[in-house]
């Protein structure tokens, strides 16, 4: 099976930088995804990492260390609209199964 | 619009009833999924179909039966609904053989069983 851990809640200030961590234990790793989910809406894709290192996409960056089973999502220049749940998900095993963590609820304050 | 669309958006029903949720995608993807998101917002996979063939079937009561008439459609039928079935059900699709293909989700069906 898979075990994916991320903090339940985080609070940050508008304009600041926040880092959301995710640790995982799995076999047959095929990549790690980050999704954003606003309340009452569908999850939307943010990033994908399969090799070690940092992937940058505008204000959002995602980092992966396969040897440590660790990833983080970095959000810069926070805006109020970034208040949402951020889901870490690992693709592994047969059938390319994507398993989600429990999500980190980020609250951006003035 | 290219998208994953599922109907209905809201479904309120009584225990013991049978209901269906429909899902269609026009993204040309070959793999479709059903996920269940409970009240704690935990998103858990239920089923996955690749080109109409069932490839993932998690530990789900057999009251839940998916049906894929073609690779663009994946419906979910639920028999003898129970209170614990209340949740948001998300349909999703992806290009299955590409590891980096993200899931595209529908807007969800909020099922409330009373």
């Amino acid at each position: 099976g898979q075990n994916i851990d991320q903090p339940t809640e985080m609070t940050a200030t508008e304009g600041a930088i926040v880092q959301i961590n995710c640790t995982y234990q799995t076999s047959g790793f095929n990549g790690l995804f980050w999704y954003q989910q606003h309340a009452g809406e569908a999850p939307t894709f943010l990033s994908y990492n399969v090799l070690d290192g940092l992937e940058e996409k505008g204000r959002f960056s995602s980092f992966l260390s396969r040897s440590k089973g660790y990833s983080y999502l970095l959000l810069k220049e926070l805006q109020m609209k970034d208040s949402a749940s951020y889901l870490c998900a690992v693709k592994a095993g047969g059938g390319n199964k994507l398993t989600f963590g429990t999500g980190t609820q980020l609250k951006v304050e003035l | 619009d290219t998208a994953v669309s599922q109907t209905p958006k809201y479904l309120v029903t009584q225990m013991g009833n049978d209901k269906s949720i429909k899902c269609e995608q026009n993204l040309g993807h070959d793999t479709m999924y059903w996920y269940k998101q409970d009240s704690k917002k935990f998103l858990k996979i239920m089923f996955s179909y690749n080109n109409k063939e069932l490839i993932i079937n998690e530990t789900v009561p057999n009251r839940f039966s998916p049906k894929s008439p073609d690779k663009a459609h994946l419906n979910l039928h639920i028999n003898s609904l129970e209170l614990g079935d209340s949740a948001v059900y998300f349909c999703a699709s992806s290009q299955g053989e590409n590891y980096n293909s993200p899931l595209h989700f529908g807007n969800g069906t909020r099922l409330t069983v009373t």
Side-chain angles (χ1 to χ4, degrees), chain B residues 3 10 16-18 21-22 28-29 34 43-44 50 53 56 63 72 76 82-84 86 89 94 113:
Chain B
Y10 298 97
N17 284 348
D18 303 339
I21 308 172
K22 294 186 175 180
H29 290 161
W34 278 110
L43 199 58
K44 188 165 187 221
N50 177 266
E53 185 183 339
I56 294 174
R63 298 182 294 105
L76 183 66
E82 299 178 357
L83 291 176
S86 295
Y89 292 84
S94 72
V113 182

Side-chain angles (χ1 to χ4, degrees), chain A residues 5-110:
Chain A
D5 288 313
Q6 45 181 136
T8 305
E9 293 177 336
M10 297 183 74
T11 302
T13 306
E14 191 179 33
I17 299 173
V18 71
Q19 178 174 310
I20 303 174
N21 295 326
C22 171
T23 58
Y24 64 90
Q25 294 171 317
T26 191
S27 56
F29 179 82
N30 286 327
L32 187 143
F33 292 78
W34 284 95
Y35 282 80
Q36 179 192 60
Q37 186 178 24
H38 285 101
E41 296 183 12
T44 55
F45 168 71
L46 289 178
S47 68
Y48 171 75
N49 294 71
V50 67
L51 300 176
D52 287 356
L54 190 67
E55 295 280 343
E56 296 187 77
K57 215 190 259 190
R59 294 189 299 114
F60 293 7
S61 303
S62 56
F63 172 83
L64 176 68
S65 168
R66 293 180 63 156
S67 61
K68 293 182 180 174
Y70 168 70
S71 173
Y72 67 71
L73 181 69
L74 194 71
L75 292 76
K76 302 176 190 172
E77 300 167 20
L78 279 171
Q79 302 174 9
M80 298 298 288
K81 67 178 182 180
D82 297 329
S83 293
S85 181
Y86 291 86
L87 306 168
C88 172
V90 173
K91 186 172 271 193
N96 268 331
K97 183 173 141 182
L98 189 65
T99 301
F100 284 83
T102 51
T104 298
Q105 188 64 45
L106 174 67
K107 185 178 176 185
V108 180
E109 298 178 328
L110 289 170

Side-chain angles (χ1 to χ4, degrees), chain B residues 22-50:
Chain B
K22 294 186 175 180
C23 180
E24 175 183 4
Q25 56 93 7
N26 60 5
L27 296 165
H29 290 161
D30 62 0
T31 305
M32 295 186 73
Y33 311 80
W34 278 110
Y35 276 82
K36 178 181 179 180
Q37 189 167 45
D38 60 24
S39 56
K40 295 182 180 175
K41 308 300 180 192
F42 182 49
L43 199 58
K44 188 165 187 221
I45 189 165
M46 299 172 70
F47 302 104
S48 171
Y49 271 74
N50 177 266

